[in-house]
Amino acid sequence: MQAVAHFREKLEAERERLRRQFTWVSEEATGLERSVQDAMPDSGDEEIADSATNTYTQELDAALARRALDRLSAVEAALQRIQVGQYGACVHCGKQIAEGRLETLPWAPYCMTCAQELEVLD
């Protein structure tokens, strides 16, 4: 397996990317919420359509923020496994996770067999 330092670098870069993404999505959602409150529709089809679009955008931003936080949590857990010397071992069965899997998903906690068995989408 490649040096753990390689995966630590990938995980730290992903952590920073996710933090920036979460910050951006949060700022976008806050700005949109303010603009929606400032422009509450009185009536009419155009205002209703704008309101529906704004609601959809808010829901999309919230979903993106949740996904970023979930991924950030997985990245932090992987960095913790590095710190305690357990990185690269499946947290379910203890077997080594394939290097190709870690290269693609360095935060993966499960080997492919366990991920499929547990029906987990890393």
Side-chain angles (χ1 to χ4, degrees):
M1 184 162 93
Q2 291 192 35
V4 172
H6 165 75
F7 293 107
R8 181 186 322 230
E9 288 175 13
K10 288 184 79 154
L11 288 163
E12 288 172 348
E14 180 69 1
R15 176 174 57 189
E16 290 309 309
R17 186 190 72 77
L18 290 166
R19 285 179 176 168
R20 284 191 308 273
Q21 179 183 7
F22 180 74
T23 300
W24 180 83
V25 169
S26 296
E27 289 171 356
E28 281 289 309
T30 301
L32 181 60
E33 188 175 312
R34 284 188 196 126
S35 68
V36 168
Q37 289 172 352
D38 291 344
M40 289 299 286
D42 294 329
S43 64
D45 291 341
E46 193 171 306
E47 289 87 2
I48 292 170
D50 287 344
S51 179
T53 299
N54 289 336
T55 299
Y56 171 78
T57 303
Q58 286 176 326
E59 290 173 2
L60 180 61
D61 285 346
L64 290 172
R66 278 191 305 276
R67 183 173 179 185
L69 284 177
D70 289 347
R71 175 76 51 86
L72 183 57
S73 177
V75 167
E76 292 290 352
L79 287 167
Q80 181 64 30
R81 289 192 300 277
I82 288 174
Q83 189 173 3
V84 297
Q86 297 175 346
Y87 182 77
C90 176
V91 299
H92 186 68
C93 72
K95 293 180 183 174
Q96 275 302 117
I97 299 172
E99 189 172 337
R101 179 164 170 76
L102 290 175
E103 201 54 56
T104 303
L105 300 168
W107 53 86
Y110 303 108
C111 66
M112 277 302 296
T113 302
C114 290
Q116 289 171 343
E117 179 183 311
L118 298 169
E119 297 180 5
V120 176
L121 298 175
D122 296 323

